[in-house]
Amino acid sequence: TFWDPPGGNDFRVIDPETVVTWFVGDVIPIQWTPANTFDAPVNCERVDIYLSTDGGFTYPILLAENVLNEPGEYEIMVPNAVGTENRIKVKCSDNVFFDISNTDFTIEEPPVPTFLMTATPLNQEICGEELSETTYELNLTQIAGFDETVSFAADGMPMGATISFEPETIVPGGTVTVTISD
């Protein structure tokens, strides 16, 4: 289901639209044609981006949520979803229309060992709040046999702010707690 306004300029996923290979952990741009769906009468300001691993039958992996529909491009990190029947779906966040990529593509482990790092929560807003501290959990996942120790440190913090990591080093496959204080 896609938005096909008069004049033939329709809402479409345009990249990936060919047979490609992505590597787990790479940052890849997803592109679509918004087709003025961000204007009235549709008013779709934001879209969600999903990954199918079964050739487009289901879309269980949310890659990005509440992304601006205009300009029609957003970079995602390729998840650890190795397979050959992957497709992308771009869907209006608050409407029913969407489009999916037309061709299956491949996700492979990278050619060299590496790791993925995800943060929970993804972001927090504390400016103007009475909070003086916030925490994040960083989850490290090893890919392709990565087994080196990763060290954590930060520089360039605003004046008066501090950051701590617990633990300060870890082999991927665990969690690090990051605490930022004013």
Side-chain angles (χ1 to χ4, degrees):
T1 302
F2 56 86
W3 173 253
D4 190 6
N9 185 16
D10 52 353
F11 183 90
R12 290 239 184 246
V13 173
I14 56 176
D15 193 15
E17 267 306 283
T18 59
V19 176
V20 294
T21 298
W22 293 352
F23 294 105
V24 173
D26 281 354
V27 175
I28 302 290
I30 304 297
Q31 295 178 317
W32 64 96
T33 305
N36 295 323
T37 55
F38 45 84
D39 289 332
V42 180
N43 297 321
C44 176
E45 292 182 23
R46 299 191 175 270
V47 298
D48 302 326
I49 302 172
Y50 295 90
L51 175 69
S52 171
T53 58
D54 59 9
F57 291 104
T58 63
Y59 288 85
I61 301 172
L62 178 63
L63 297 172
E65 186 174 32
N66 253 352
V67 171
L68 287 174
N69 186 10
E70 175 65 19
E73 181 172 326
Y74 188 79
E75 290 185 338
I76 58 98
M77 180 183 290
V78 178
N80 191 5
V82 173
T84 60
E85 296 180 331
N86 300 291
R87 292 192 184 213
I88 293 293
K89 175 166 94 174
V90 178
K91 179 193 174 299
C92 182
S93 295
D94 62 357
N95 205 315
V96 296
F97 72 89
F98 62 89
D99 189 43
I100 64 172
S101 54
N102 293 330
T103 306
D104 288 349
F105 62 91
T106 300
I107 296 177
E108 294 181 354
E109 285 192 349
V112 296
T114 189
F115 65 92
L116 295 179
M117 182 169 55
T118 56
T120 305
L122 193 54
N123 57 47
Q124 296 184 67
E125 189 171 317
I126 62 169
C127 294
E129 301 290 327
E130 293 186 21
L131 300 174
S132 61
E133 183 174 282
T134 188
T135 61
Y136 292 88
E137 296 292 322
L138 301 180
N139 185 17
L140 280 70
T141 304
Q142 65 102 279
I143 304 294
F146 186 91
D147 63 356
E148 297 177 33
T149 299
V150 177
S151 299
F152 293 87
D155 60 0
M157 296 292 292
M159 190 182 323
T162 61
I163 187 168
S164 65
F165 302 93
E166 181 59 41
E168 291 182 359
T169 62
I170 191 171
V171 174
T175 301
V176 173
T177 300
V178 181
T179 303
I180 302 173
S181 304
D182 64 0

